[in-house]
Amino acid sequence: MSDKIKIKFTVNGDSEEREAVVGETLLKFIRDELNLTGTKSGCEIGECGACTVLLDGKPVNSCLVLAVELDGKELLTIEGLSKNGELDRLQQAFIDHAAFQCGYCTPGMIMAARSLLERNPNPNDSEINKALSGNLCRCGAYQEIRDAVKDSASK
Amino acid sequence: MKMLSYDYVKCTGLSEAVDILAKEEQAYPYAGGTDLMVGMRGGKFAPKKLVDVKDLPELNVFEENDQGIIIGAAITLNQIACDDSIVKNIPILAEGSHSVGGYTIRNRATLAGNICNASPAADTAAPLYTLEALINIAGPDGNRSLPVEEFFTGPGQTALKKGELVQSIVIPRPFPAGKGVYSKASRTGSVDLATVGVAVQNWGEHVKIAVGAVAATPVRALSVEKAINEKGEKSSAEAAKLVHNDIAPITDIRGSREYRYHMVEVLVRRGLEQTMGV
Ligand SMILES: Cc1cc2nc3c(=O)[nH]c(=O)nc-3n(C[C@H](O)[C@H](O)[C@H](O)COP(=O)(O)OP(=O)(O)OC[C@H]3O[C@@H](n4cnc5c(N)ncnc54)[C@H](O)[C@@H]3O)c2cc1C
Ligand code: FES
Ligand code: FES
């Protein structure tokens, strides 16, 4: 069965109307239908956080959400952060602190960290660790990631 | 990635959802999807239809009334973990909810989904046992209510009958007078299922203890409770040893049977020290 359902949503500020295949994950829809490949696919079982996006302002693992659930919602992906070619503060802080090696975890880390800073503009180390505990970095850049988040918070 | 094939329906009324669940084969309530999506990928579930219950108004109730605190089945674990009344009156449930996965998982995962998935390691189960929570069930033959201890019937199994779904979970009044703690031993100290989970709730005059991941369902540590509540045992170390009578742990990837016997005793002892001052 590959039924499709018509869905309306906004992605990074733009309204869109598309068809989503029932049974397809939001992750696959974002990458293959919207061609926004900044969102990464790692484990596809909720364990790694590489696929983190903001749905109605809240971070979710897009590999555990159905594409059809996007109907009526607002989606923010890593591509939506920069404005007029300028990186946002958190993205710049990741660069300044070399908070990655391969960069595969970075989009998910940044989306999860962004949501943390909205909830708690001045997080301490342990609050950052907790908030990012669902995001794995196989290169082990955790210290630099924490520094980048703190630095961005202080600005 | 294998494309999964099933229907999806977003229900707007409880009776519609019950109707579909009662009439159609292999129709599953779909809440946060954090167990379902993983289970479908691994072949554990093969639904023909997902019935999205997240928007049902009846399942979005979250209020405190004369009966207690009513938590609708669509309420997420993050909502529970930071709710003022829950943090104040029944912090053990806030702790149990907060210990599930990471923040992004808890944005989607529901309390009802956690107990309906019926993992013996479900982190909210042991706290709910010590609070004597009630599960409100809606079904084709009307509504009924069950104590949470009767809801769990085996690993992955519940007392729900065909067509039934959980409408809400009630934490009844009076709320416990004393302190309660939920402690979890896991492999990483970060996002991981419990190797052992222990809830100890002081009720003022007596204590209630429940343990997870050490039997086919979460269980009450009745031998420990009896020693303290009825026989006046004052030593938390002596009382904690008795938990071995109440459990039947197995060896799996998270820990051996022996390790679980050991850890559950340690966590019960610490829980008693923290809550009962014994
Ligand atoms: C990365 C990761 C980490 C996790 N860590 C933990 C952890 O530390 N501790 C822990 O306990 N769990 C953990 N889980 C498991 C999971 O997140 C929880 O069990 C969650 O609470 C399930 O809720 P849900 O709303 O996502 O359920 P769903 O996946 O939507 O549903 C789960 C089951 O319950 C049924 N169901 C859902 N709602 C109802 C209803 N109202 N009535 C009847 N049946 C219903 C579904 O049909 C399905 O069978 C983790 C999962 C992931 C992916
Ligand atoms: S790909 Fe979604 S959490 Fe790993
Ligand atoms: S930078 Fe490589 S996974 Fe994090």
Side-chain angles (χ1 to χ4, degrees):
Chain A
M1 200 178 335
S2 58
D3 281 354
K4 289 188 171 185
I5 295 185
K6 203 171 245 163
I7 57 172
K8 275 189 187 173
F9 55 96
T10 67
V11 49
N12 301 331
D14 297 331
S15 304
E16 287 273 358
E17 206 174 319
R18 299 282 181 111
E19 285 190 328
V21 177
V22 175
E24 183 172 276
T25 62
L26 178 59
L27 170 61
K28 192 165 189 312
F29 183 80
I30 290 170
R31 290 182 54 86
D32 297 356
E33 288 294 322
L34 302 178
N35 291 320
L36 296 172
T37 52
T39 303
K40 300 301 177 205
S41 161
C43 64
E44 300 194 356
I45 51 167
E47 300 274 355
C48 76
C51 66
T52 307
V53 296
L54 301 193
L55 199 56
D56 281 348
K58 291 190 180 145
V60 298
N61 302 86
S62 60
C63 68
L64 298 184
V65 177
L66 291 169
V68 292
E69 292 182 71
L70 186 53
D71 192 32
K73 297 212 158 63
E74 227 173 79
L75 172 67
L76 186 69
T77 69
I78 189 75
E79 288 87 350
L81 298 195
S82 62
K83 294 271 171 317
N84 309 320
E86 292 262 321
L87 296 181
D88 92 337
R89 213 165 59 196
L90 195 52
Q91 288 176 307
Q92 190 57 51
F94 267 63
I95 292 176
D96 296 344
H97 289 268
F100 41 73
Q101 289 184 47
C102 76
Y104 204 82
C105 68
T106 313
M109 284 286 181
I110 290 182
M111 297 316 283
R114 181 189 169 94
S115 152
L116 165 67
L117 294 176
E118 274 169 14
R119 305 193 296 277
N120 175 359
N122 247 319
N124 61 28
D125 277 359
S126 116
E127 288 165 339
I128 296 173
N129 289 351
K130 272 231 146 56
L132 301 183
S133 66
N135 293 74
L136 302 184
C137 174
R138 62 191 168 175
C139 301
Y142 294 108
Q143 180 61 51
E144 292 78 7
I145 291 168
R146 219 165 19 232
D147 291 345
V149 175
K150 275 223 279 225
D151 187 23
S152 154
S154 69
K155 281 180 182 156
Chain B
M1 191 211 310
K2 199 175 101 231
M3 176 69 79
L4 302 161
S5 63
Y6 44 76
D7 273 338
Y8 166 89
V9 56
K10 185 171 202 159
C11 290
T12 47
L14 184 57
S15 57
E16 178 197 2
V18 167
D19 212 41
I20 297 171
L21 291 169
K23 289 195 182 124
E24 298 193 22
E25 286 308 313
Q26 296 294 104
Y28 283 73
Y30 175 79
T34 60
D35 279 316
L36 268 178
M37 294 289 280
V38 174
M40 289 191 296
R41 196 146 300 147
K44 180 176 161 202
F45 302 113
K48 291 218 170 78
K49 186 171 259 177
L50 292 186
V51 182
D52 194 333
V53 295
K54 282 192 286 292
D55 283 357
L56 298 181
E58 297 90 338
L59 272 56
N60 277 286
V61 173
F62 193 14
E63 64 180 27
E64 196 178 335
N65 63 21
D66 290 349
Q67 199 196 353
I69 299 177
I70 320 290
I71 306 170
I75 302 301
T76 66
L77 294 173
N78 269 345
Q79 283 176 279
I80 295 167
C82 62
D83 179 77
D84 289 342
S85 174
I86 290 184
V87 170
K88 177 168 156 269
N89 294 308
I90 40 173
I92 196 169
L93 184 61
E95 276 179 28
S97 303
H98 192 264
S99 71
V100 173
Y103 185 83
T104 41
I105 292 289
R106 294 194 302 275
N107 260 338
R108 297 268 299 172
T110 60
L111 179 64
N114 195 229
I115 64 160
C116 290
N117 191 58
S119 160
D123 278 311
T124 64
L128 290 174
Y129 274 42
T130 65
L131 296 166
E132 302 208 325
L134 294 172
I135 314 300
N136 285 338
I137 298 168
D141 302 322
N143 296 350
R144 62 186 180 119
S145 189
L146 273 184
V148 63
E149 281 186 62
E150 290 171 34
F151 185 80
F152 280 81
T153 56
Q157 277 165 3
T158 68
L160 288 178
K161 295 189 214 128
K162 172 93 185 127
E164 287 187 328
L165 60 79
V166 170
Q167 180 171 345
S168 61
I169 293 149
V170 181
I171 314 299
R173 285 181 195 278
F175 302 132
K179 193 172 168 192
V181 294
Y182 178 67
S183 11
K184 169 175 175 178
S186 58
R187 292 168 302 174
T188 63
S190 173
V191 176
D192 194 15
L193 290 183
T195 309
V196 171
V198 173
V200 180
Q201 179 63 58
N202 178 344
W203 277 83
E205 301 289 291
H206 61 283
V207 66
K208 285 200 170 87
I209 305 166
V211 292
V214 286
T217 64
V219 288
R220 285 271 289 280
L222 292 173
S223 309
V224 187
E225 290 184 15
K226 198 167 165 196
I228 294 171
N229 298 338
E230 293 172 28
K231 299 191 185 144
E233 176 62 73
K234 294 283 179 235
S235 155
S236 49
E238 289 306 315
K241 280 184 193 152
L242 299 169
V243 70
H244 293 205
N245 301 332
D246 300 317
I247 61 175
I250 57 166
T251 295
D252 67 11
I253 50 160
R254 292 196 179 77
S256 65
R257 184 171 170 272
E258 293 73 19
Y259 179 72
R260 286 191 155 99
Y261 267 120
H262 176 69
M263 277 314 290
V264 79
E265 182 184 325
V266 169
L267 295 184
V268 169
R269 173 172 56 75
R270 286 188 198 153
L272 288 171
E273 287 164 357
Q274 287 169 37
T275 58
M276 304 291 287
V278 291

Short mmCIF file of all heavy atoms in Angstrom, two decimals, chain A residues 45-47 64, chain B residues 28-36 38 45 53 59 73 77 99-101 105 108-110 112-114 116-117 121-123 160 164-166 184 191-193, ligand 1:
data_model
loop_
_atom_site.label_atom_id
_atom_site.label_comp_id
_atom_site.label_asym_id
_atom_site.label_seq_id
_atom_site.Cartn_x
_atom_site.Cartn_y
_atom_site.Cartn_z
N ILE A 45 16.30 4.68 14.81
CA ILE A 45 15.49 4.13 15.91
C ILE A 45 15.55 5.03 17.15
O ILE A 45 15.41 4.55 18.27
CB ILE A 45 15.90 2.69 16.29
CG1 ILE A 45 17.41 2.60 16.54
CG2 ILE A 45 15.46 1.68 15.24
CD1 ILE A 45 17.85 1.31 17.22
N GLY A 46 15.73 6.31 16.94
CA GLY A 46 15.60 7.24 18.06
C GLY A 46 16.78 7.32 19.00
O GLY A 46 16.71 8.01 20.01
N GLU A 47 17.87 6.64 18.68
CA GLU A 47 18.97 6.55 19.64
C GLU A 47 20.03 7.63 19.47
O GLU A 47 20.78 7.91 20.40
CB GLU A 47 19.66 5.19 19.53
CG GLU A 47 18.76 3.99 19.79
CD GLU A 47 18.65 3.63 21.27
OE1 GLU A 47 19.34 4.25 22.08
OE2 GLU A 47 17.85 2.73 21.58
N LEU A 64 11.31 9.06 14.08
CA LEU A 64 10.23 8.40 14.83
C LEU A 64 8.89 9.10 14.62
O LEU A 64 7.93 8.85 15.35
CB LEU A 64 10.55 8.39 16.34
CG LEU A 64 11.80 7.63 16.78
CD1 LEU A 64 11.91 7.64 18.30
CD2 LEU A 64 11.78 6.20 16.27
N TYR B 28 -3.64 -0.37 15.67
CA TYR B 28 -2.94 0.01 16.90
C TYR B 28 -3.17 1.48 17.22
O TYR B 28 -3.03 2.32 16.34
CB TYR B 28 -1.42 -0.15 16.74
CG TYR B 28 -0.89 -1.55 16.80
CD1 TYR B 28 -1.10 -2.44 15.76
CD2 TYR B 28 -0.15 -1.97 17.90
CE1 TYR B 28 -0.58 -3.73 15.82
CE2 TYR B 28 0.38 -3.26 17.96
CZ TYR B 28 0.15 -4.13 16.91
OH TYR B 28 0.67 -5.39 16.96
N PRO B 29 -3.45 1.78 18.49
CA PRO B 29 -3.41 3.20 18.88
C PRO B 29 -1.99 3.72 18.67
O PRO B 29 -1.02 3.02 18.98
CB PRO B 29 -3.74 3.19 20.38
CG PRO B 29 -4.34 1.86 20.66
CD PRO B 29 -3.77 0.92 19.64
N TYR B 30 -1.89 4.92 18.14
CA TYR B 30 -0.58 5.53 17.86
C TYR B 30 -0.51 6.82 18.67
O TYR B 30 -1.29 7.75 18.44
CB TYR B 30 -0.46 5.79 16.36
CG TYR B 30 0.78 6.52 15.90
CD1 TYR B 30 1.99 5.86 15.78
CD2 TYR B 30 0.74 7.87 15.55
CE1 TYR B 30 3.13 6.52 15.32
CE2 TYR B 30 1.87 8.54 15.10
CZ TYR B 30 3.07 7.86 15.00
OH TYR B 30 4.19 8.52 14.56
N ALA B 31 0.39 6.88 19.65
CA ALA B 31 0.52 8.09 20.47
C ALA B 31 1.83 8.78 20.06
O ALA B 31 1.93 9.33 18.98
CB ALA B 31 0.48 7.73 21.94
N GLY B 32 2.86 8.72 20.91
CA GLY B 32 4.13 9.35 20.56
C GLY B 32 4.90 8.57 19.50
O GLY B 32 5.83 9.09 18.88
N GLY B 33 4.57 7.31 19.35
CA GLY B 33 5.23 6.48 18.34
C GLY B 33 6.64 6.04 18.69
O GLY B 33 7.29 5.38 17.89
N THR B 34 7.13 6.40 19.89
CA THR B 34 8.54 6.11 20.18
C THR B 34 8.79 4.62 20.40
O THR B 34 9.91 4.15 20.22
CB THR B 34 9.06 6.90 21.40
OG1 THR B 34 8.30 6.55 22.54
CG2 THR B 34 8.98 8.40 21.17
N ASP B 35 7.79 3.88 20.80
CA ASP B 35 7.91 2.42 20.83
C ASP B 35 7.43 1.83 19.51
O ASP B 35 8.04 0.92 18.96
CB ASP B 35 7.08 1.82 21.97
CG ASP B 35 7.80 1.92 23.31
OD1 ASP B 35 9.02 1.63 23.35
OD2 ASP B 35 7.16 2.26 24.30
N LEU B 36 6.31 2.34 19.01
CA LEU B 36 5.72 1.77 17.79
C LEU B 36 6.65 1.87 16.59
O LEU B 36 6.85 0.90 15.86
CB LEU B 36 4.41 2.48 17.46
CG LEU B 36 3.13 1.86 18.02
CD1 LEU B 36 1.93 2.72 17.64
CD2 LEU B 36 2.91 0.43 17.52
N VAL B 38 9.85 2.22 16.42
CA VAL B 38 11.03 1.36 16.58
C VAL B 38 10.61 -0.10 16.41
O VAL B 38 11.27 -0.88 15.72
CB VAL B 38 11.68 1.59 17.96
CG1 VAL B 38 12.82 0.62 18.20
CG2 VAL B 38 12.18 3.03 18.08
N PHE B 45 6.11 -5.17 15.66
CA PHE B 45 4.70 -4.87 15.37
C PHE B 45 4.51 -4.88 13.86
O PHE B 45 5.38 -4.39 13.14
CB PHE B 45 4.31 -3.46 15.84
CG PHE B 45 4.53 -3.20 17.29
CD1 PHE B 45 5.49 -2.29 17.71
CD2 PHE B 45 3.75 -3.83 18.25
CE1 PHE B 45 5.69 -2.03 19.06
CE2 PHE B 45 3.93 -3.57 19.59
CZ PHE B 45 4.90 -2.67 20.01
N VAL B 53 -4.13 8.88 18.13
CA VAL B 53 -5.04 9.31 19.19
C VAL B 53 -4.59 10.61 19.86
O VAL B 53 -5.22 11.07 20.82
CB VAL B 53 -5.21 8.20 20.26
CG1 VAL B 53 -5.90 6.98 19.67
CG2 VAL B 53 -3.86 7.80 20.87
N LEU B 59 -8.38 12.65 25.50
CA LEU B 59 -7.07 12.14 25.90
C LEU B 59 -6.10 13.26 26.23
O LEU B 59 -4.97 13.01 26.64
CB LEU B 59 -6.48 11.24 24.80
CG LEU B 59 -6.87 9.75 24.86
CD1 LEU B 59 -8.37 9.57 24.85
CD2 LEU B 59 -6.22 8.96 23.74
N ALA B 73 -4.28 10.35 28.15
CA ALA B 73 -3.34 9.42 27.52
C ALA B 73 -2.46 10.09 26.46
O ALA B 73 -1.48 9.52 26.02
CB ALA B 73 -4.10 8.25 26.90
N LEU B 77 5.54 12.85 28.43
CA LEU B 77 6.36 12.72 29.64
C LEU B 77 7.02 14.03 30.01
O LEU B 77 7.20 14.32 31.20
CB LEU B 77 7.40 11.61 29.45
CG LEU B 77 6.80 10.21 29.31
CD1 LEU B 77 7.86 9.19 28.96
CD2 LEU B 77 6.07 9.79 30.59
N SER B 99 13.11 10.21 33.70
CA SER B 99 14.21 9.27 33.45
C SER B 99 14.02 8.47 32.16
O SER B 99 14.86 7.66 31.78
CB SER B 99 14.40 8.33 34.64
OG SER B 99 13.33 7.43 34.70
N VAL B 100 12.91 8.71 31.45
CA VAL B 100 12.70 8.03 30.16
C VAL B 100 13.47 8.77 29.06
O VAL B 100 13.26 9.97 28.85
CB VAL B 100 11.20 7.99 29.78
CG1 VAL B 100 11.02 7.45 28.36
CG2 VAL B 100 10.42 7.15 30.78
N GLY B 101 14.36 8.08 28.37
CA GLY B 101 15.05 8.60 27.19
C GLY B 101 15.66 9.97 27.38
O GLY B 101 16.04 10.36 28.48
N ILE B 105 12.91 12.61 22.99
CA ILE B 105 12.03 11.44 23.08
C ILE B 105 10.82 11.79 23.96
O ILE B 105 9.67 11.53 23.61
CB ILE B 105 12.79 10.22 23.68
CG1 ILE B 105 13.87 9.72 22.72
CG2 ILE B 105 11.82 9.10 24.08
CD1 ILE B 105 13.37 9.01 21.49
N ARG B 108 7.64 13.52 22.75
CA ARG B 108 6.66 12.74 22.00
C ARG B 108 6.07 11.63 22.87
O ARG B 108 4.89 11.33 22.80
CB ARG B 108 7.32 12.09 20.78
CG ARG B 108 7.87 13.07 19.77
CD ARG B 108 6.87 13.41 18.69
NE ARG B 108 6.47 12.24 17.93
CZ ARG B 108 5.49 12.26 17.03
NH1 ARG B 108 4.81 13.36 16.79
NH2 ARG B 108 5.17 11.17 16.38
N ALA B 109 6.94 10.98 23.65
CA ALA B 109 6.52 9.80 24.41
C ALA B 109 5.46 10.17 25.45
O ALA B 109 5.57 11.19 26.13
CB ALA B 109 7.73 9.20 25.12
N THR B 110 4.45 9.33 25.56
CA THR B 110 3.38 9.56 26.54
C THR B 110 3.50 8.60 27.72
O THR B 110 4.11 7.53 27.60
CB THR B 110 1.99 9.36 25.89
OG1 THR B 110 1.91 8.01 25.42
CG2 THR B 110 1.77 10.33 24.73
N ALA B 112 0.85 7.07 28.96
CA ALA B 112 -0.01 5.94 28.58
C ALA B 112 0.75 4.97 27.68
O ALA B 112 0.68 3.75 27.85
CB ALA B 112 -1.27 6.43 27.89
N GLY B 113 1.50 5.51 26.71
CA GLY B 113 2.28 4.65 25.81
C GLY B 113 3.31 3.84 26.58
O GLY B 113 3.55 2.67 26.28
N ASN B 114 3.90 4.45 27.59
CA ASN B 114 4.91 3.75 28.39
C ASN B 114 4.31 2.54 29.10
O ASN B 114 4.91 1.47 29.11
CB ASN B 114 5.52 4.73 29.40
CG ASN B 114 6.82 4.23 30.03
OD1 ASN B 114 6.96 4.27 31.24
ND2 ASN B 114 7.77 3.76 29.24
N CYS B 116 1.30 1.08 28.23
CA CYS B 116 0.66 0.17 27.26
C CYS B 116 1.70 -0.68 26.54
O CYS B 116 1.42 -1.80 26.14
CB CYS B 116 -0.16 0.95 26.24
SG CYS B 116 -1.64 1.66 26.96
N ASN B 117 2.89 -0.16 26.38
CA ASN B 117 3.96 -0.95 25.77
C ASN B 117 4.37 -2.09 26.72
O ASN B 117 4.89 -3.11 26.30
CB ASN B 117 5.15 -0.03 25.47
CG ASN B 117 6.18 -0.70 24.62
OD1 ASN B 117 5.88 -1.14 23.51
ND2 ASN B 117 7.40 -0.81 25.12
N ALA B 121 10.59 -3.01 32.19
CA ALA B 121 11.52 -1.95 32.59
C ALA B 121 10.93 -0.56 32.45
O ALA B 121 11.63 0.42 32.65
CB ALA B 121 12.79 -2.05 31.74
N ALA B 122 9.65 -0.44 32.11
CA ALA B 122 9.04 0.88 31.91
C ALA B 122 9.28 1.76 33.14
O ALA B 122 8.89 1.40 34.25
CB ALA B 122 7.54 0.73 31.65
N ASP B 123 9.90 2.90 32.92
CA ASP B 123 10.33 3.72 34.06
C ASP B 123 9.20 4.36 34.84
O ASP B 123 9.39 4.74 35.99
CB ASP B 123 11.28 4.82 33.58
CG ASP B 123 12.70 4.30 33.42
OD1 ASP B 123 13.19 3.65 34.35
OD2 ASP B 123 13.30 4.57 32.37
N LEU B 160 -5.73 -4.84 28.52
CA LEU B 160 -6.60 -4.25 27.49
C LEU B 160 -7.18 -5.34 26.60
O LEU B 160 -6.48 -6.24 26.16
CB LEU B 160 -5.82 -3.27 26.61
CG LEU B 160 -5.40 -1.93 27.21
CD1 LEU B 160 -4.59 -1.14 26.20
CD2 LEU B 160 -6.63 -1.14 27.66
N GLU B 164 -10.16 -1.77 23.11
CA GLU B 164 -10.02 -0.86 24.25
C GLU B 164 -8.78 0.01 24.12
O GLU B 164 -7.78 -0.40 23.55
CB GLU B 164 -9.92 -1.66 25.55
CG GLU B 164 -11.24 -2.27 25.97
CD GLU B 164 -11.16 -2.90 27.34
OE1 GLU B 164 -10.09 -3.42 27.73
OE2 GLU B 164 -12.19 -2.90 28.04
N LEU B 165 -8.87 1.19 24.69
CA LEU B 165 -7.67 2.02 24.80
C LEU B 165 -7.66 2.74 26.13
O LEU B 165 -8.69 2.87 26.80
CB LEU B 165 -7.54 2.99 23.61
CG LEU B 165 -8.60 4.01 23.31
CD1 LEU B 165 -8.49 5.21 24.21
CD2 LEU B 165 -8.42 4.48 21.86
N VAL B 166 -6.48 3.17 26.53
CA VAL B 166 -6.36 3.90 27.78
C VAL B 166 -6.78 5.34 27.52
O VAL B 166 -6.31 5.98 26.58
CB VAL B 166 -4.91 3.86 28.32
CG1 VAL B 166 -4.73 4.84 29.47
CG2 VAL B 166 -4.56 2.45 28.75
N LYS B 184 17.28 4.52 39.21
CA LYS B 184 17.41 3.66 38.04
C LYS B 184 18.88 3.32 37.85
O LYS B 184 19.73 4.21 37.87
CB LYS B 184 16.88 4.46 36.86
CG LYS B 184 17.13 3.90 35.49
CD LYS B 184 16.41 4.79 34.46
CE LYS B 184 16.70 4.38 33.04
NZ LYS B 184 15.96 5.20 32.05
N VAL B 191 21.01 8.04 28.14
CA VAL B 191 19.79 7.47 27.57
C VAL B 191 19.91 5.95 27.49
O VAL B 191 20.66 5.42 26.69
CB VAL B 191 19.55 8.06 26.16
CG1 VAL B 191 18.34 7.40 25.53
CG2 VAL B 191 19.36 9.56 26.24
N ASP B 192 19.19 5.26 28.34
CA ASP B 192 19.19 3.80 28.30
C ASP B 192 18.02 3.27 29.12
O ASP B 192 17.58 3.92 30.07
CB ASP B 192 20.50 3.25 28.88
CG ASP B 192 20.71 1.77 28.55
OD1 ASP B 192 20.01 1.25 27.66
OD2 ASP B 192 21.57 1.14 29.18
N LEU B 193 17.53 2.10 28.74
CA LEU B 193 16.49 1.47 29.55
C LEU B 193 17.08 1.06 30.89
O LEU B 193 18.29 0.87 31.02
CB LEU B 193 15.93 0.24 28.83
CG LEU B 193 15.09 0.49 27.58
CD1 LEU B 193 14.57 -0.83 27.05
CD2 LEU B 193 13.94 1.44 27.88
C1 LIG C 1 15.82 6.26 22.21
C2 LIG C 1 14.74 5.74 23.13
C3 LIG C 1 14.98 5.70 24.49
C4 LIG C 1 14.00 5.22 25.35
N1 LIG C 1 14.27 5.20 26.69
C5 LIG C 1 13.35 4.73 27.55
C6 LIG C 1 13.62 4.70 28.95
O1 LIG C 1 14.68 5.12 29.41
N2 LIG C 1 12.66 4.19 29.78
C7 LIG C 1 11.47 3.73 29.32
O2 LIG C 1 10.64 3.31 30.12
N3 LIG C 1 11.18 3.75 27.99
C8 LIG C 1 12.09 4.23 27.10
N4 LIG C 1 11.81 4.25 25.75
C9 LIG C 1 10.53 3.71 25.29
C10 LIG C 1 9.41 4.72 24.99
O3 LIG C 1 9.89 6.00 24.73
C11 LIG C 1 8.33 4.79 26.08
O4 LIG C 1 7.82 3.52 26.36
C12 LIG C 1 7.19 5.75 25.70
O5 LIG C 1 6.63 6.23 26.89
C13 LIG C 1 6.09 5.18 24.83
O6 LIG C 1 5.08 6.15 24.61
P1 LIG C 1 4.57 6.57 23.15
O7 LIG C 1 3.54 7.60 23.34
O8 LIG C 1 5.71 6.92 22.28
O9 LIG C 1 3.94 5.18 22.69
P2 LIG C 1 3.65 4.58 21.25
O10 LIG C 1 4.91 4.14 20.61
O11 LIG C 1 2.76 5.48 20.48
O12 LIG C 1 2.82 3.31 21.70
C14 LIG C 1 3.39 2.27 22.48
C15 LIG C 1 2.38 1.11 22.60
O13 LIG C 1 1.26 1.51 23.36
C16 LIG C 1 0.08 1.47 22.57
N5 LIG C 1 -0.69 2.67 22.96
C17 LIG C 1 -0.29 3.96 22.90
N6 LIG C 1 -1.24 4.77 23.42
C18 LIG C 1 -2.25 3.97 23.82
C19 LIG C 1 -3.51 4.20 24.46
N7 LIG C 1 -3.93 5.42 24.80
N8 LIG C 1 -4.29 3.12 24.73
C20 LIG C 1 -3.88 1.86 24.40
N9 LIG C 1 -2.71 1.58 23.81
C21 LIG C 1 -1.89 2.62 23.54
C22 LIG C 1 0.52 1.43 21.15
O14 LIG C 1 -0.43 0.82 20.30
C23 LIG C 1 1.81 0.65 21.26
O15 LIG C 1 1.55 -0.71 21.33
C24 LIG C 1 12.76 4.75 24.85
C25 LIG C 1 12.53 4.79 23.48
C26 LIG C 1 13.50 5.28 22.61
C27 LIG C 1 13.22 5.31 21.14
#
